[in-house]
Amino acid sequence: MYQHIVITCGISLLTGKANVFSINRDETMAEIRSLLDVKEINKEIEKKVERWLQYAKQFSHEVVHRPNHVSAEYSTVHELRKKGKLVERPTIVLFVTQTVGGRIVESILTSLLEMHFQANVRVIYVDIDVKNPKRMHETLGEYMSKLSYALSKGEPTSTCFAPIGGYKVMTSLGYIVGAFLNYPTAYLHEDHQVLHEIPPVPIHIKEEFVYEHLDLLRKCQKDVVSVQELSYQEKRCVEQYPSLFYQEDGFVCLSAFGEFLLEHEKYRHLFDTAYFVSKQILDVMEHNRHQSLFIFQQFHELVKKLKYKEGNMFELQHEKEFKTIRQKQIKYHLYKGASNGQTAFRLAYRYDEQKDRLYANYLWLDHKRYEREASQGRGLYEDWSEFFDITNDLMTVVK
């Protein structure tokens, strides 16, 4: 029996010819077609998405009579129940892309899975950039890391892993992650509605290899490195292990699989950032355990932006948008993180680049409260309390 299900989602729910919520159904449904791949969702697009979802709700009753004409993701769960392999209240983790299409699929699937399968649905967003090779490589590494985390919340014997939707590279790399962690994968042939379960192929990297090449792996994890700057032994290592390294234009860095491998718990203590939080943040996390996965993701997203210079100053130093804050006296910056529909992530933080440590001083999960208190400088000028090392706790947090 499966109680933990991890599914990567595409947009077949919207693009299938005969699916219940297909954009080909009528003119109103088709209005969203040109927006499916849009990532920047402004207020105008937000309104269009909400109007579309309200209109689509009128077809929801058809799902009961046409369960195999919703999407591959829904059919997978439906087939598991038909085979008697689904527990009464499963936990289902959906991986969706940060696009309009992903947003719509998330909303519809979450509603249906909660209603028809009494599922506890969790959503993890991934941002796969297929237009830029370097950026795509980086985002795939992040995707594999998030997938590893989601799978680790269940046991291989009671977890159904179905990397069936999204970009094709998400499916192929998803299988590699599952195989490395010894999880079988499920595949649904959508035309015939046949669910196949594929056992994992053993993938193993000896720990001795990691320790032997630790300096090289560290260098390639932090930044791209000129091949000419590598020693003879390091060049040989890069050539002998192409699955771990990515080369382009005379530079080398870790491949997506290399990044995933080194973020695995077996090597995490060698490579990861250390996270320190105040008593206030411990209290917030304790009282918002249902949001712990979201909080975990946002801590990592902030560090990624800081370490790899990906974030913009508006997000990383949001205190500059408040005229009432005494800028010269601040000890902590304000990070304007994401919102997951219910919760906003806002954080007063300091990052020690030399020691690779994040000090989180004050956390807000309510946007209105953040606007009110941050404008007064709360959490910005002084340490809120002593700091506690939660690095290990973040790796085992349960939503």
Side-chain angles (χ1 to χ4, degrees), residues 27-40:
E27 291 184 5
T28 301
M29 298 295 276
E31 288 177 356
I32 210 75
R33 181 181 285 114
S34 63
L35 299 175
L36 293 180
D37 294 327
V38 173
K39 293 184 177 182
E40 299 297 327

Side-chain angles (χ1 to χ4, degrees), residues 85-126:
K85 293 188 174 184
L86 191 67
V87 300
E88 287 188 8
R89 296 182 180 275
T91 293
I92 301 178
V93 181
L94 303 177
F95 275 77
V96 299
T97 57
Q98 290 182 323
T99 60
V100 168
R103 165 82 179 277
I104 293 174
V105 167
E106 171 210 343
S107 179
I108 294 177
L109 277 181
T110 297
S111 177
L112 294 177
L113 294 173
E114 289 177 343
M115 185 184 305
H116 298 163
F117 302 97
Q118 292 73 54
N120 172 26
V121 181
R122 305 173 185 176
V123 178
I124 295 180
Y125 293 98
V126 292

Side-chain angles (χ1 to χ4, degrees), residues 128-398:
I128 307 297
D129 192 337
V130 296
K131 298 178 181 179
N132 184 308
K134 184 177 182 298
R135 180 63 185 142
M136 178 177 175
H137 152 75
E138 294 171 348
T139 54
L140 286 176
E142 180 183 351
Y143 159 68
M144 295 175 79
S145 177
K146 289 181 177 180
L147 197 54
S148 172
Y149 173 78
L151 287 172
S152 69
K153 296 298 104 182
E155 297 294 329
T157 55
S158 60
T159 298
C160 178
F161 173 39
I164 54 178
Y167 297 110
K168 289 183 174 63
V169 70
M170 291 171 63
T171 300
S172 58
L173 290 181
Y175 177 80
I176 291 175
V177 173
F180 180 79
L181 300 176
N182 202 36
Y183 286 79
T185 57
Y187 166 70
L188 181 83
H189 192 287
E190 199 165 0
D191 291 339
H192 302 288
Q193 296 295 309
V194 177
L195 188 66
H196 303 276
E197 294 176 73
I198 306 168
V201 174
I203 298 176
H204 179 67
I205 299 293
K206 291 183 178 180
E207 290 187 34
E208 291 81 359
F209 170 84
V210 176
Y211 286 99
E212 182 181 351
H213 301 285
L214 184 58
D215 288 341
L216 173 63
L217 294 170
R218 274 183 176 277
K219 282 192 292 187
C220 292
Q221 184 194 39
K222 291 184 176 180
D223 202 355
V224 293
V225 180
S226 171
V227 174
Q228 296 301 319
E229 296 177 4
L230 301 180
S231 67
Y232 172 75
Q233 290 79 7
E234 289 175 332
K235 289 178 182 177
R236 283 200 62 191
C237 180
V238 170
E239 293 169 357
Q240 290 176 347
Y241 296 92
S243 63
L244 297 177
F245 298 95
Y246 172 79
Q247 293 190 69
E248 185 178 19
D249 298 331
F251 290 88
V252 62
C253 61
L254 288 184
S255 67
F257 177 64
E259 288 189 4
F260 156 71
L261 176 70
L262 297 181
E263 289 183 359
H264 190 257
E265 59 187 5
K266 289 172 66 175
Y267 316 112
R268 196 171 273 145
H269 64 287
L270 298 174
F271 298 93
D272 264 10
T273 304
Y275 294 84
F276 293 83
V277 301
S278 68
K279 181 65 166 58
Q280 185 268 346
I281 294 178
L282 286 180
D283 291 340
V284 171
M285 293 174 69
E286 177 62 27
H287 289 90
N288 293 273
R289 292 184 63 82
H290 63 292
Q291 294 286 1
S292 59
L293 183 59
F294 173 67
I295 295 172
F296 166 84
Q297 288 178 280
Q298 288 303 299
F299 272 121
H300 268 266
E301 187 68 15
L302 169 58
V303 169
K304 183 170 73 75
K305 290 176 179 179
L306 292 167
K307 291 176 73 170
Y308 304 113
K309 311 295 190 258
E310 292 181 352
N312 58 54
M313 297 304 290
F314 175 77
E315 294 176 335
L316 299 177
Q317 297 185 17
H318 196 232
E319 70 275 8
K320 294 182 178 178
E321 299 297 312
F322 293 91
K323 295 181 179 179
T324 54
I325 290 177
R326 303 188 298 275
Q327 301 292 334
K328 292 183 179 180
Q329 298 179 30
I330 64 171
K331 187 175 179 180
Y332 294 91
H333 293 299
L334 284 177
Y335 173 56
K336 183 181 181 182
S339 300
N340 65 1
Q342 301 175 349
T343 305
F345 184 92
R346 305 291 185 263
L347 181 73
Y349 75 94
R350 173 170 58 86
Y351 178 60
D352 187 326
E353 188 170 2
Q354 284 190 328
K355 295 182 178 179
D356 196 9
R357 290 182 174 184
L358 180 74
Y359 292 90
N361 197 41
Y362 202 95
L363 174 63
W364 294 267
L365 298 180
D366 181 281
H367 185 264
K368 290 184 179 179
R369 182 178 176 184
Y370 164 73
E371 292 281 354
R372 182 174 65 253
E373 295 183 348
S375 64
Q376 299 170 3
R378 173 162 292 194
L380 298 183
Y381 304 126
E382 299 292 340
D383 296 352
W384 190 259
S385 70
E386 63 180 315
F387 286 90
F388 303 86
D389 187 349
I390 64 162
T391 306
N392 292 331
D393 295 334
L394 276 180
M395 306 312 164
T396 57
V397 67
V398 177

Side-chain angles (χ1 to χ4, degrees), residues 5 7-9 12-13 18-20 63 66-83 86 92 94 109 112-113 116-117 160 162 164 186-196:
I5 301 166
I7 304 176
T8 64
C9 301
S12 67
L13 182 145
N19 286 352
V20 172
V63 173
R66 302 173 62 204
N68 294 329
H69 290 280
V70 179
S71 70
E73 299 82 11
Y74 185 89
S75 292
T76 295
V77 182
H78 177 69
E79 289 301 310
L80 286 176
R81 184 165 67 179
K82 279 180 60 178
K83 288 186 173 184
L86 191 67
I92 301 178
L94 303 177
L109 277 181
L112 294 177
L113 294 173
H116 298 163
F117 302 97
C160 178
I164 54 178
Y187 166 70
L188 181 83
H189 192 287
E190 199 165 0
D191 291 339
H192 302 288
Q193 296 295 309
V194 177
L195 188 66
H196 303 276

